[in-house]
Amino acid sequence: MSFAAYELLPSGQLLWWTVLGMTSVAAVVVGIVRYRPRPVLPWVLVAGALLLESIGDVVYQALGGNVGGGGPFPSAADAIYLGVYPLAVFALLGFVLRDKPEYRQGTLLDVLIVAIGLGALSWSIFVIPSGHLAYESMLNNTVLITYLLGDALVLALALQLPLAGRLRAAPVPLLLLGALGMLYSDEYFAVAELHPTWSVPGEILGYAAFYVAWGLAALMPSMAQLVRPLSGRPWALVAPRTWVALLCSAALVSPVLLLVTAYRADPADTLVLAGCCVVLFLLVFARLVQAMRAWQANALRGETQAYLHTLIADAQDAVIVVSPKGRVSFSSPSAKQLFGDRLQEGSVAGLFSEPDQALVARCFDQLGDPQAAPDWPGAVRVQTGDGRIVLAEARWSDLRADPTVAGIVLTLRDVTEERRLEEELRRQALTDPLTGLMNRQGLRLLMQEDRDPASGRMGAAGLLMVDLDDFKEINDTLGHPIGDEVLVAVAERLTANVREEDAVARFGGDEFAVLMAHDPERAGVERAGPERAGLERTGLEAIAQRVLDAFDEPVESNAGPLRVTASLGLAVLGETEGSGSGSGFGAGDGAGGGAGGGEPNPDADEDPDSEPDALMRAADLALYAAKAEGKARWRRYHAALLDQAVRRAELRSALDDALALGSLAVFYQPVVHLHTRRIAGFEALARWPHPTLGLLGPDVFIPLAEETGQIRELGGQMLRMAVKQAVTWSAPSGGEGCFIGINVSVHQLRGEGFVEAVRDVLAETGIDPRYVVLEVTETALLDHEDVGVRERLQDLRALGVAIALDDFGTGYASLISLHDMPIDIIKIDKSFTSRLTTSDRMRRLVRGLLTISDTLDISTIAEGIEGWDQHRRLLELGVRAGQGYLYSRPLAAGAASALWAEQRPLPLDHGKR
């Protein structure tokens, strides 16, 4: 419209032409704002070139000229016009600046060849003829030549856009049209300046085309793609024949012109054309070299692709090349085998299952935004050709800039079986293989999950530790298969007697645990106040009692019904504050390889600040308290239990020090012949002179030593000290020697090396083995068929020592044990002795026991004799020896030695002195 107004309205030409120029500038600005090209600089330079051209037109017309000529030449307007060329040149160079170097270098050489050819043509048309016109000054000729060479350069650089592979971009033809229009109008102007009488209509068409075409180019949506790196291939590779024809034509321009103008050109002009020929030859040669290198690179790339294709063909991973629009452009044989015909169904996102499908589609949508960074999924679910859903690991590689790929490379590895195995291994790692319950680690993980509100569980309310009483006896007497049957039955019984939301676990050996969840009907009881909270705690106690009652019924096994009891420890969440200062411990009987035994262990590898570990420790403390009170009961954790555990831990540590220093002592209680009241021997009793607690009796530290394993070292020291002391009590002339009775723990008897230890002490001291009596409790003879215990007792008898059954009548030894086991002496427990004077049934029971002993040739010793009536009754019944406070309390070694040396009947009031 502005161009038409310019032609039809001569009086307003300045206005309308200025409107045309500024409209083109505004069009470029609008395009930049609307389409936001990155980088934006080339288009800014285009707008600058149009603006500078428009300003030059205004100045030229203001000086009296028209757009097509008629004004002063050269003038200030020409200086402005010449400034257009640098802006246009750098703008066109900027469009291809981000192309690959090998493509950019080849295109630049092509442009230079075309530019030199056009320059030679312009030189021949305008410069050579103007040399004969005397009225043209050097300045005029220089400006004209600059216009023509600048136009040739701009046209050649515009031509590089299709040469670089951008021919399909809509702005490219428009930019070419504008550059060609500029060249046309400038040549028209040059002809008019050289031949003032020459006139042809349409002198301003080229300038108008320059404004209109370049302004429209900026309004095309694809203007933003023009500055992006080349995604296709250069024209030299797409249309090689056309490219070769174009280069040959450009390269032949100078030689042809040199031949045509040789007869009328000056030597200087001939030299210029010859120079153009040389330069063209060098450029063509350089282009051939560059093309050869590109061919070699392509050949090498092709070989590499063939090699990679061979590797991919044998690879187990599925490899898929996806276009930026999300379409599959290549797939490996493994991919085709995995997906089948689904690869041809459309977008690659369709291969995935939700929610991965939407995520993949969103990532491909983000590829068009340079500011976005797609978050490609790594672990995905894909749907195979046969409809299966498989787990896969996905690796995404953005190779859009690589012309050999020009897309996104997706590598998929089927990890379904791998994940299944991992899950199976995880399940096995967190599950007890015997019972199918979760193990300790599994329960700890569950307790940690309960602390996470996102887990969906109600959370833990308490923990109940369950430990079978004397389960080791079942393993030792009936065998581990029967023990395993019992453990499985106990697991089923525990599961049946807790709520559905509770979790049962086996910690190892004979130790189980129940993680008791908050009552769903009382969710939020802690927030509802102490009354509701108290109701839940009462509910937890009811569960503990129900679990304990479940052991009332015998457990069925292949060995018949078995009476199994359990001790339970209950810890309620919120009541375990301070338990972190102790350490986790088990109260198990040591069945199997995993049962814990004993009390808190300060070296336990747990986090004292961890709430699950604190709850476990508190439940363990309560369990230990139930064991200590007699087993077959449940106890609830309270703060005092922790104090007791700490004291026991301190006592154990002090006992370690005492054993290391050999600071334990042995006291001796006389055993007398009842009819003469003279000393027959002594029973050695352990005492511990504690540095702060005073003299401690065996009831304080012997059970602790048995639980912790210290009993073996303690028993060994007691044996050595007692036997050495007995050696000093030589027999009086004509009398019998003094025997020494030494208590032996069942843990010593069942441990390895005890018989050898006794043999070593006998050999070291030289004592007559007949004067050594080893006293064992009935617990050691619980099973008369225990081959290990029987063999050790027989080995001890073979050494010549006597075996006494201590505290007879308080345990569970059967009478058959008296027959099967090598027993020499029975020590009648004080519970029998104390009731001899008040119970006829007890006297008859003792008389029967003595009859059995005499029949089996077993001696008897009565314990706990504290009165004369008891002494007399025992004599009447035929008991020959006894001990008790009636005769003497336990004495230190010196006092015992003095008493032995007197060799007189003990006065009945001796214990009162």
Side-chain angles (χ1 to χ4, degrees):
M1 181 181 293
S2 297
F3 173 70
Y6 177 85
E7 289 287 345
L8 297 176
L9 301 174
S11 60
Q13 287 182 343
L14 176 60
L15 174 62
W16 292 112
W17 193 258
T18 303
V19 170
L20 177 62
M22 298 310 296
T23 300
S24 66
V25 174
V28 176
V29 173
V30 170
I32 291 175
V33 173
R34 177 179 295 180
Y35 302 117
R36 300 182 181 278
R38 293 291 184 275
V40 72
L41 182 59
W43 285 107
V44 171
L45 293 176
V46 169
L50 292 172
L51 178 61
L52 207 58
E53 181 75 12
S54 181
I55 293 174
D57 288 342
V58 172
V59 173
Y60 187 72
Q61 293 184 68
L63 293 175
N66 297 321
V67 174
F73 178 80
S75 66
D78 293 297
I80 298 175
Y81 286 141
L82 292 176
V84 173
Y85 294 109
L87 295 179
V89 167
F90 284 111
L92 294 171
L93 287 175
F95 288 135
V96 297
L97 189 62
R98 298 174 65 187
D99 287 352
K100 289 186 176 182
E102 59 269 25
Y103 291 171
R104 189 172 66 247
Q105 293 169 3
T107 303
L108 183 59
L109 290 173
D110 295 341
V111 167
L112 291 176
I113 292 172
V114 173
I116 296 298
L118 291 176
L121 182 60
S122 298
W123 186 275
S124 298
I125 295 174
F126 299 105
V127 177
I128 293 177
S130 68
H132 301 286
L133 301 177
Y135 57 84
E136 292 292 340
S137 67
M138 180 62 69
L139 179 60
N140 290 10
N141 290 337
T142 302
V143 173
L144 283 176
I145 292 172
T146 304
Y147 278 139
L148 298 176
L149 293 180
D151 291 334
L153 181 59
V154 170
L155 179 60
L157 289 175
L159 189 60
Q160 76 171 335
L161 297 177
L163 289 176
R166 290 175 170 82
L167 182 60
R168 293 184 180 180
V172 172
L174 294 173
L175 292 173
L176 275 170
L177 178 61
L180 188 61
M182 177 73 76
L183 176 62
Y184 164 76
S185 290
D186 281 344
E187 288 187 352
Y188 187 102
F189 177 79
V191 171
E193 287 295 326
L194 294 175
H195 306 283
T197 60
W198 185 78
S199 176
V200 177
E203 67 271 18
I204 65 171
L205 287 176
Y207 296 134
F210 175 65
Y211 281 130
V212 174
W214 281 34
L216 286 177
L219 293 177
M220 298 295 173
S222 56
M223 60 89 72
Q225 299 177 359
L226 206 60
V227 295
R228 294 177 185 171
L230 180 66
S231 59
R233 295 191 300 168
W235 193 18
L237 299 178
V238 175
R241 294 181 180 179
T242 306
W243 169 73
V244 170
L246 178 63
L247 290 187
C248 288
S249 299
L252 290 174
V253 168
S254 292
V256 170
L257 292 176
L258 183 61
L259 294 175
V260 172
T261 61
Y263 71 95
R264 61 183 179 90
D266 292 339
D269 295 328
T270 303
L271 185 61
V272 170
L273 292 176
C276 290
C277 291
V278 173
V279 172
L280 282 174
F281 172 79
L282 295 176
L283 289 175
V284 171
F285 180 77
R287 186 65 177 97
L288 291 175
V289 172
Q290 195 277 336
M292 181 61 70
R293 290 177 177 174
W295 179 83
Q296 291 175 343
N298 286 333
L300 179 60
R301 189 180 295 113
E303 293 177 359
T304 303
Q305 289 178 342
Y307 174 72
L308 292 177
H309 187 274
T310 303
L311 293 180
I312 291 174
D314 293 334
Q316 296 297 321
D317 294 351
V319 180
I320 301 173
V321 179
V322 189
S323 71
K325 294 184 179 180
R327 300 288 177 174
V328 176
S329 60
F330 170 81
S331 59
S332 68
S334 297
K336 295 175 182 177
Q337 182 179 2
L338 180 63
F339 294 107
D341 295 337
R342 298 190 67 244
L343 286 171
Q344 312 300 327
E345 291 180 1
S347 173
V348 72
L351 301 177
F352 297 85
S353 300
E354 290 292 350
D356 298 322
Q357 185 176 113
L359 179 57
V360 171
R362 184 166 62 253
C363 288
F364 274 98
D365 291 340
Q366 293 173 343
L367 289 178
D369 185 357
Q371 304 301 320
D375 184 16
W376 302 102
V380 297
R381 293 176 179 269
V382 297
Q383 185 174 2
T384 63
D386 55 6
R388 293 180 299 110
I389 302 298
V390 301
L391 300 176
E393 285 184 354
R395 185 171 68 253
W396 306 81
S397 301
D398 188 352
L399 299 181
R400 288 177 293 166
D402 188 341
T404 60
V405 180
I408 306 297
V409 179
L410 168 61
T411 305
L412 292 171
R413 183 165 68 91
D414 187 352
V415 295
T416 305
E417 183 64 17
E418 182 179 326
R419 293 292 181 267
R420 188 192 68 78
L421 292 176
E422 289 178 358
E423 184 62 28
E424 177 64 19
L425 290 175
R426 182 180 184 276
R427 187 193 66 79
Q428 293 179 5
L430 301 178
T431 305
D432 174 55
L434 177 63
T435 62
L437 302 175
M438 68 179 71
N439 57 19
R440 179 187 293 269
Q441 186 62 24
L443 189 67
R444 287 190 80 254
L445 290 177
L446 183 61
M447 295 171 74
Q448 292 172 350
E449 291 176 1
D450 283 345
R451 300 174 65 188
D452 182 7
S455 66
R457 285 178 50 86
M458 295 300 299
L463 182 66
L464 184 67
M465 300 293 288
V466 181
D467 189 88
L468 304 185
D469 299 326
D470 304 314
F471 179 72
K472 188 175 187 303
E473 305 299 335
I474 295 178
N475 273 342
D476 292 344
T477 58
L478 301 177
H480 288 278
I482 299 300
D484 290 345
E485 291 182 24
V486 172
L487 292 174
V488 173
V490 168
E492 295 173 352
R493 193 167 294 186
L494 288 176
T495 304
N497 285 275
V498 299
R499 301 167 302 179
E500 183 178 354
E501 61 269 20
D502 298 332
V504 182
R506 180 186 176 215
F507 278 8
D510 58 350
E511 192 173 12
F512 295 82
V514 179
L515 182 63
M516 296 180 288
H518 282 295
D519 191 337
E521 298 180 358
R522 295 172 178 154
V525 292
E526 297 295 344
R527 299 187 296 273
E531 296 80 6
R532 295 290 304 277
L535 289 175
E536 182 169 43
R537 295 188 185 105
T538 303
L540 299 183
E541 292 179 351
I543 295 175
Q545 185 61 49
R546 185 164 68 244
V547 171
L548 184 65
D549 294 342
F551 289 90
D552 291 343
E553 294 293 328
V555 174
E556 295 295 332
S557 71
N558 287 331
L562 297 177
R563 180 81 168 86
V564 179
T565 62
S567 300
L568 286 66
L570 172 63
V572 179
L573 193 67
E575 297 181 355
T576 60
E577 290 81 0
S579 65
S581 59
S583 299
F585 66 95
D589 293 298
E599 55 187 308
N601 177 13
D603 299 323
D605 185 17
E606 294 178 351
D607 181 4
D609 297 326
S610 168
E611 189 176 77
D613 288 334
L615 195 63
M616 287 184 184
R617 282 189 292 272
D620 263 340
L621 287 169
L623 174 60
Y624 182 82
K627 289 280 189 182
E629 292 180 19
K631 304 178 181 180
R633 65 197 68 207
W634 69 269
R635 286 294 176 264
R636 180 170 169 174
Y637 171 81
H638 52 83
L641 293 180
L642 176 62
D643 297 335
Q644 296 172 9
V646 171
R647 287 195 297 271
R648 291 180 65 83
E650 294 173 347
L651 194 66
R652 183 183 64 182
S653 178
L655 183 57
D656 278 333
D657 295 338
L659 292 173
L661 298 174
S663 58
L664 296 181
V666 181
F667 276 50
Y668 302 90
Q669 185 176 35
V671 178
V672 301
H673 297 290
L674 294 185
H675 62 286
T676 63
R677 303 198 311 278
R678 295 181 181 276
I679 297 175
F682 292 89
E683 180 181 1
L685 302 172
R687 295 292 185 271
W688 180 10
H690 195 279
T692 57
L693 301 179
L695 190 65
L696 302 180
D699 57 319
V700 176
F701 61 92
I702 291 298
L704 175 64
E706 289 181 333
E707 293 166 0
T708 61
Q710 296 167 308
I711 189 64
R712 295 182 183 179
E713 176 63 23
L714 189 152
Q717 292 188 15
M718 294 299 102
L719 174 67
R720 189 173 301 275
M721 287 189 288
V723 172
K724 284 185 177 180
Q725 181 61 47
V727 171
T728 64
W729 296 329
S730 57
S733 58
E736 295 181 358
C738 176
F739 74 84
I740 184 70
I742 304 167
N743 289 284
V744 176
S745 167
V746 65
H747 298 281
Q748 290 178 269
L749 190 62
R750 287 177 174 164
E752 296 294 335
F754 178 68
V755 176
E756 290 73 12
V758 173
R759 180 185 294 110
D760 293 342
V761 170
L762 296 178
E764 179 184 343
T765 59
I767 192 173
D768 188 340
R770 293 179 303 156
Y771 295 117
V772 177
V773 179
L774 301 181
E775 301 183 8
V776 297
T777 61
E778 284 188 89
T779 305
L781 308 182
L782 179 63
D783 180 15
H784 68 279
E785 294 182 356
D786 191 330
V787 177
V789 171
R790 184 192 309 173
E791 289 179 351
R792 284 183 176 82
L793 291 177
Q794 290 173 346
D795 291 341
L796 291 171
R797 279 282 300 277
L799 297 177
V801 302
I803 306 298
L805 186 59
D806 198 11
D807 300 328
F808 184 79
T810 61
Y812 304 96
S814 60
L815 292 178
I816 193 66
S817 299
L818 300 179
H819 175 271
D820 293 342
M821 297 294 181
I823 305 300
D824 299 295
I825 301 170
I826 292 177
K827 299 191 74 172
I828 303 173
D829 187 71
K830 64 178 297 184
S831 59
F832 290 82
T833 304
S834 62
R835 287 184 282 179
L836 283 176
T837 59
T838 59
S839 172
D840 288 337
R841 287 175 59 87
M842 183 60 70
R843 286 194 292 272
R844 288 195 293 271
L845 180 59
V846 173
R847 182 177 292 109
L849 176 61
L850 293 173
T851 302
I852 294 174
S853 300
D854 290 340
T855 302
L856 298 177
D857 197 20
I858 297 176
S859 302
T860 56
I861 297 177
E863 295 181 304
I865 304 174
E866 298 181 353
W868 170 252
D869 291 342
Q870 297 171 357
H871 175 89
R872 184 163 49 82
R873 288 291 187 184
L874 289 170
L875 279 175
E876 291 174 357
L877 292 172
V879 178
R880 299 183 179 85
Q883 66 185 94
Y885 284 178
L886 176 63
Y887 312 114
S888 175
R889 292 177 178 273
L891 304 172
S897 297
L899 195 62
W900 168 254
E902 293 179 6
Q903 288 295 319
R904 63 184 181 86
L906 295 181
L908 299 181
D909 61 350
H910 183 78
K912 299 179 182 181
R913 293 190 293 171

